[in-house]
Amino acid sequence: MVSYPFAIGRIRALELKLIDAPRWARLREAPRAEAVRLLAETGYGGGVSRDDPEAMIRAEEEETRRVIAELSPEPAWTDLFLLPTDAHNIKAAYKGKMLGQDVSRLFSDGGTVPAELVRISVEAGEYSMLPAAFQKALAEEYESLLAFSAAIDRAVFAQIGIVLKKKKNPLLARYFAAQADFTNVTSTLRAAALGWGAEKLSPMLLPGGTIPHEELAAALSPGTQAVPAVCRGEFSAAIARVLADYAQGGSLTDAERRFAAERIDLLQQGDDDPFSIGPIACYLLRRENEARELRVLFAGKA
């Protein structure tokens, strides 16, 4: 079994490879082809498709998840951060099955279940090898791919709840409660912008947060100002900080970025503990944010 001090030592070394501010500046200033070359020269993507930034990003994401799984002293906890990859693969497999399409290019490695096993399970309708919450979601019938996707998103947090009930971790319990709240707040504000009612919002809300769903639904009531109405729950101060700019005409994309930073700040509360999963999870989240920002950067250069 990997020890915490060894794992965190490795993580500290890997953090040195994160894209720093000067390199971000060079990538942003360079034309697309030059930016791709600069990224490849750092070894990003492991030499895979050096002229294809998306392939490089996907390769780096998969390698990061592999390293996290390899280094984790507590796989039950780090696996919680890999469940979204399982969810992505389940959605892809289900879409392929429903539409009769080849979706193999959509699968990603690095979840808690091998991507190929996810594909086989969904196509065969035999889900016993998948986490319990996904089994339950897949056993239901759905009127649309959108409804199915929302159910799988909810299943991620249902599975997190199952694991943390059995294997308690106050730091992770607080982190995932904040993530559920932040995601639900973002969904509510997006619903308000689209003119949705509570009935359409409800299936999109995740379990496990500290803001009651009925309070979020009430934020969509006629005459209600959505931003102050969603600043509720245990993390209301963080929500208010993030939404201060949004209330003045900012974008939800920027709000999502700031919510991601707030989540990392929560995990950093365990940085000083040599036996905390926090630094390991923080590294994974920083790599995910890095990948997200690279996708935005290259989309802007297309």
Side-chain angles (χ1 to χ4, degrees):
M1 179 177 175
V2 179
S3 71
Y4 272 101
F6 175 80
I8 293 174
R10 282 284 310 277
I11 289 296
R12 295 308 184 205
L14 290 169
E15 285 175 338
L16 298 175
K17 297 182 180 180
L18 288 164
I19 300 174
D20 57 19
R23 280 191 289 170
W24 274 118
R26 292 178 66 193
L27 289 170
R28 291 188 175 106
E29 292 169 2
R32 187 179 189 279
E34 176 69 5
V36 174
R37 184 185 66 78
L38 289 170
L39 189 62
E41 284 179 353
T42 67
Y44 192 92
V48 175
S49 301
R50 295 170 65 92
D51 60 345
D52 183 348
E54 177 56 30
M56 293 164 65
I57 294 167
R58 286 173 64 91
E60 199 72 19
E61 287 177 318
E62 291 176 358
E63 174 63 12
T64 298
R65 292 192 291 264
R66 185 194 67 77
V67 168
I68 293 297
E70 178 184 282
L71 282 179
S72 177
E74 296 282 356
W77 287 338
T78 46
D79 278 357
L80 300 180
F81 294 88
L82 306 181
L83 288 171
T85 301
D86 292 333
H88 168 84
N89 290 335
I90 289 170
K91 291 177 187 179
Y94 185 87
K95 178 180 179 181
K97 181 179 181 179
M98 292 297 101
L99 301 181
Q101 297 178 351
D102 177 8
V103 294
S104 55
R105 70 189 185 285
L106 299 179
F107 293 115
S108 293
D109 289 328
T112 70
V113 181
E116 180 63 9
L117 182 55
V118 170
R119 182 191 66 78
I120 292 170
S121 296
V122 173
E123 289 184 357
E126 202 332 283
Y127 312 125
S128 61
M129 299 299 290
L130 303 180
F134 290 133
Q135 293 182 39
K136 183 176 180 181
L138 282 160
E140 302 294 330
E141 294 186 0
Y142 300 93
E143 61 183 19
S144 67
L145 288 174
L146 181 62
F148 174 76
S149 179
I152 295 301
D153 288 340
R154 294 194 301 273
V156 169
F157 282 80
Q159 184 64 29
I160 289 168
I162 291 170
V163 173
L164 290 179
K165 186 175 181 179
K166 294 179 180 177
K167 190 174 177 65
K168 298 185 184 303
N169 183 309
L171 177 64
L172 294 187
R174 182 171 167 79
Y175 169 83
F176 285 112
Q179 185 179 14
D181 277 352
F182 296 163
T183 304
N184 287 343
V185 163
T186 303
S187 296
T188 302
L189 294 178
R190 184 172 287 114
L194 293 171
W196 288 5
E199 184 177 342
K200 199 167 183 179
L201 169 68
S202 180
M204 307 298 170
L205 297 177
L206 303 174
T210 70
I211 309 174
H213 288 185
E214 56 267 24
E215 291 186 9
L216 293 167
L220 301 181
S221 300
T224 301
Q225 291 185 311
V227 170
V230 297
C231 294
R232 304 292 184 91
E234 183 178 344
F235 309 99
S236 58
I239 294 169
R241 284 196 299 272
V242 170
L243 297 185
D245 289 339
Y246 178 74
Q248 301 302 317
S251 71
L252 271 179
T253 299
D254 288 339
E256 287 174 322
R257 287 172 175 160
R258 291 190 59 189
F259 276 135
E262 291 281 350
R263 290 191 283 118
I264 290 175
D265 286 345
L266 278 171
L267 281 179
Q268 285 177 328
Q269 294 174 12
D271 265 4
D272 295 333
D273 183 350
F275 296 95
S276 171
I277 207 72
I280 300 169
C282 272
Y283 174 70
L284 174 61
L285 294 179
R286 289 190 180 106
R287 294 309 308 270
E288 289 178 348
N289 287 347
E290 185 179 79
R292 189 179 302 112
E293 291 301 314
L294 284 171
R295 286 190 169 98
V296 171
L297 183 147
F298 284 108
K301 295 178 184 292

